[in-house]
Amino acid sequence: MSRIFEITEKIKSYDPDANINLINRAYVFAAQAHAEQHRQSGELYINHPLGVANILASLKLDVDTIATGLLHDTVEDTHVTLEDIRARFGDDVGHLVDGVTKIGKIQFQSSEHKQAENFRKMLLATAKDIRVLLVKLADRLHNMRTLGFVPRRKQVSTSNETMQIYAPLAHRLGIHWIKQEMDDIAFSYLEPEAYQEVLGKLRGNLTFLDKTRSQIEVLLQEALQREKLDATIYGRMKHLFSIHEKIKRKHVDFDQLYDLVAFRVIVKDTAECYHALGIIHSLYPPVPGRFKDYIALPKPNGYQSLQTTVIGPGSHRIEVQIRTQAMHQYAEDGVAAHWIYKSDGVTGEKKKNQQLREFRWLKQLTEMIQDTSNPTEFMENVRLDLFVQEVYVFSRDGDIFALPRGSTPLDFAYAVHTDVGNHCVGVRVNGQLTDFETRLHQGDQVEVLTGPEQTPSLQWLKYIKTPRARQSVRQYFRRQERDMSIRMGASVLDTILDAKPSEKMIKSFKCKDYKQLCEKVGRGDIPVDELISTLGQQRSGPFQLHHAKSAIMYPATCCYPLPGDQVMGALVKGKGMVIHDRYCNTLQQQHENTWMEVEWKPEEGVNFCTAIEIVTKNRRGMLGDISGTIASQKSDIEDLRIEQKAGQMTTLTVLLEVESRKHLADVIRCVRQLEGVERVKRLNHSGLVLKHFHQGVGHMLKGVMDASLHLLQTNRKKNNDSST
């Protein structure tokens, strides 16, 4: 259990000028706020904030952050408000406490929605001040340490969330000891049998491993001293979860693992790092493909080190990491190692901006937040973005980019910038033109070719692997769809109304402005008949349209569509909406932006014209049988054309009236059953223009909009009667 004086002493050890009074005041305030509260273990609740503050002090963070650790649960779990925090401890602490406070007072649709919103809020606050995330990681680590007192279901759900979100976040920040401890604790709850098995075998080999570690430390130390290199060398056991993962990944037994101990060599400067590497490689042969130079090419989270694996004494593989003291400190504590708010002659804001530039992934995550409203999609993107192995590639200018393994050139283009991805026409990898399906490999140099006219294609989603790139492509098409919806909606409103709708009318449709109303109408969220009905009821005087026909839907006579067909509509000012079958040749020849999808439903008693072709054998009474069958299905024949064919066959082209596509199918099915009928088909999909019927038929369909107009006229008559 942490004590406040232990925390303050730890702070003074690395910052003698720290404002310890702030820490003590925060402790007293938190202790009073949580005075009546206990944890599930039965201990006083204040022990949790003390534990969080102790972890933050171990990271050598500033007093505002540590004070936040003490206060982080007061707003969520007690009567304390953010205004109280700001008044007593200042805006800086108030901002940090707000960033880590869960959204406890909002009702969410599901626990997943709540998790997504909490995480979204935390990341947005982190984008402004990365200390928010450091406090949250310390909070989660202490909760993991005390997870044994909560129900099994809670243990599993918390461990899963920690493994999928918080441990990868700690890795991204470079705080590896937090990541490793989180992984090991979560492993113990998620796979308790496997955890105990690995732990037992490690304990059984502990004596041998300790002896081996001591021997190799001495051998390496002597080899470096002979070359007059002053180095600190120590070995450490690998963590349980990493051992378990290696066993699964390599499909081997515990006894077949020969690199359970890793060694760290700490030297004075970068030049000595490479000198030490040469000495070690001359002493023990390196394992091919196992050397990585993270000094020349640091990881995106700032990690630097030389990593090599050699065949040591007894043919054991030895993993060695060589680094300077500064690199080592950063490898242990990540972003906290050279804290952005420490006094080093550079202003806090300048250092903060400099630090955030190193964490491009954080900026990309916050952009993803802005573009994703679906909580399930958002959390899945976050997990995919965080929980991956990386490949490092270069831009033409030498900038390094970390991408998930398996990434393609399009993923790289979107990692550079969304506009670069959207306008990508081609890619050169290592100077060679390559296709979008190519997988990028470690060290590839990638050059993106762009063109101003190029736009994303939905086909790109087949080649894209990263959530950021996938999100960018989807967002582009969402914007395109929105723009088209706005144009379509504006066209509908302009056709129907005699003037722009008033603000009152707009708000009656729960829209904030005219643009949003256009979008909802164009997208079909507000059906046109509902629009007319509502606007008509709101008018104090007579309802005015540009023309009476503006409320009428006309089927095109080139394809004779029916309710139930897949149809497209275009508004023609002063005429109304013309409806075509989706596959009509006329529609295909016109500009697609003038058309919108229309849901056309049948109405009982309202008939529509269409044409069918019947091929039949010549026999007495056939025409009467066909006419009678059509009539028996409550369909009327508008026109008929008969053409004699060779071989005693006749083709009848019949223009008839039906209520819908289904009604027509019933008619065709009954006609096909007649003796002598060889074939029956509908003519609209054939692209045939039924010119023989255009004269004198010209049937006008009123449909849904006409019914709405009738309703409005009835209402207007009632209003006029009551006024007299």
Side-chain angles (χ1 to χ4, degrees), residues 184-311:
D184 279 356
I185 297 173
F187 174 38
S188 71
Y189 288 107
L190 293 175
E191 300 183 67
E193 293 181 1
Y195 175 85
Q196 290 297 331
E197 182 180 0
V198 174
L199 180 62
K201 290 185 176 180
L202 191 61
R203 285 173 175 167
N205 287 269
L206 204 54
T207 302
F208 169 76
L209 291 171
D210 272 338
K211 182 180 178 181
T212 302
R213 177 180 57 79
S214 299
Q215 289 176 342
I216 294 175
E217 281 179 1
V218 172
L219 289 171
L220 291 176
Q221 190 78 60
E222 290 175 348
L224 294 174
Q225 284 178 347
R226 284 196 297 269
E227 297 295 327
K228 296 182 170 47
L229 269 185
D230 185 16
T232 301
I233 301 172
Y234 65 92
R236 62 169 179 84
M237 300 293 179
K238 287 202 170 182
H239 288 263
L240 296 175
F241 181 67
S242 64
I243 294 173
H244 173 67
E245 285 293 284
K246 193 162 191 176
I247 290 172
K248 287 201 307 182
R249 186 172 66 252
K250 292 185 173 293
H251 303 287
V252 297
D253 294 329
F254 180 90
D255 296 335
Q256 295 174 282
L257 296 178
Y258 298 106
D259 54 352
L260 295 175
V261 182
F263 293 87
R264 288 167 179 170
V265 179
I266 314 298
V267 295
K268 183 178 65 175
D269 55 33
T270 301
E272 288 190 353
C273 289
Y274 290 98
H275 190 188
L277 177 70
I279 295 170
I280 293 170
H281 279 183
S282 65
L283 185 64
Y284 303 114
V287 176
R290 296 290 296 170
F291 169 67
K292 295 175 183 177
D293 187 346
Y294 291 121
I295 293 179
L297 300 174
K299 289 186 177 183
N301 62 12
Y303 172 87
Q304 287 184 291
S305 186
L306 299 177
Q307 292 185 186
T308 186
T309 302
V310 298
I311 306 297

